[in-house]
Amino acid sequence: MLLPRPETAAGGEGEEENPRDALVRRLLEHQKFRAAAELLHEREQVRSAQWQRPDERVAALAGDEYEPEIEVDLFSLLSAFQAVVQRAMQRPKVLLPPEQLPVEVRISQLLSRLSETAACGFEELFADARDRPELIVTFLALLEMIRLRLVRVFQSGGFGPIRVYKRPRPADAPRLIGDPEAHRG
């Protein structure tokens, strides 16, 4: 740019475009396209994160029946809810008995049973359960005992019998929420 141009040396005064201006224009145009590409990329990412109902052609190819969406107004929703409430009032009331056996009590029962023998069969733990809630409480108690590292559970082979062994509580074992030993340490 500092050297004289051939036309100016010859005395011609033709106005030529400055190369800097052309470069600046090209850079600005490049920035516009780059910004547009970034915007399209962001929109594509948002769009790909959304689940949409397939249109009629895709559903026909997949074998699903196409069901167009229908908007529901507030009054339709209220009347549908009212019908649900009416049906719920007609159903007979089922009174569930309160939990008769807390998990903590069942844990102490199982631990005393395991203190009598070195090991116990899995199914033997459920022998004195009278009904389904007691079966569930017994299973939850066993899971809690495993979490507290009070027992070890082993199985001989892939389909062999499951045996439950009592073990001494490690010092770093978690404590049961109403455990009197939890406040000593």
Side-chain angles (χ1 to χ4, degrees):
M1 289 181 60
L2 296 175
L3 294 175
R5 295 207 169 100
E7 298 111 35
T8 54
E13 290 192 11
E15 289 190 21
E16 248 187 58
E17 185 177 345
N18 189 352
R20 284 188 198 174
D21 293 338
L23 184 61
V24 168
R25 265 197 324 272
R26 288 179 59 197
L27 283 174
L28 288 175
E29 189 174 333
H30 174 71
Q31 285 178 344
K32 286 180 189 177
F33 281 111
R34 187 174 179 184
E38 287 176 6
L39 179 67
L40 289 174
H41 180 68
E42 287 174 12
R43 285 186 182 174
E44 189 268 332
Q45 284 181 333
V46 169
R47 183 98 166 152
S48 67
Q50 296 174 345
W51 289 93
Q52 294 184 352
R53 173 175 252 173
D55 65 353
E56 193 172 330
R57 295 169 289 161
V58 173
L61 290 175
D64 298 334
E65 282 189 36
Y66 178 72
E67 192 174 304
E69 292 183 359
I70 300 172
E71 284 196 37
V72 179
D73 62 346
L74 180 62
F75 295 108
S76 299
L77 284 175
L78 284 174
S79 64
F81 179 68
Q82 199 170 28
V84 168
V85 170
Q86 290 296 325
R87 279 194 303 268
M89 291 177 69
Q90 292 174 356
R91 275 189 256 152
K93 295 186 187 222
V94 177
L95 296 176
L96 297 176
E99 183 180 331
Q100 299 161 351
L101 185 65
V103 174
E104 294 83 9
V105 172
R106 190 62 178 157
I107 288 174
S108 64
Q109 290 174 354
L110 294 176
L111 285 175
S112 65
R113 181 183 298 167
L114 287 171
S115 296
E116 297 169 3
T117 61
C120 183
F122 178 77
E123 293 180 8
E124 294 172 30
L125 295 176
F126 299 92
D128 61 343
R130 296 180 304 244
D131 54 4
R132 187 178 179 137
E134 283 189 21
L135 290 172
I136 293 170
V137 168
T138 303
F139 186 66
L140 290 174
L142 179 64
L143 291 176
E144 185 68 12
M145 289 167 45
I146 293 169
R147 185 187 74 84
L148 295 172
R149 298 187 210 156
L150 298 175
V151 294
R152 294 178 302 171
V153 181
F154 292 102
Q155 182 177 21
S156 59
F159 298 102
I162 298 174
R163 304 287 295 168
V164 180
Y165 298 89
K166 183 178 179 182
R167 70 181 202 180
R169 181 184 291 199
D172 64 338
R175 301 282 180 188
L176 192 59
I177 291 177
D179 192 358
E181 294 180 22
H183 299 293
R184 290 186 198 167

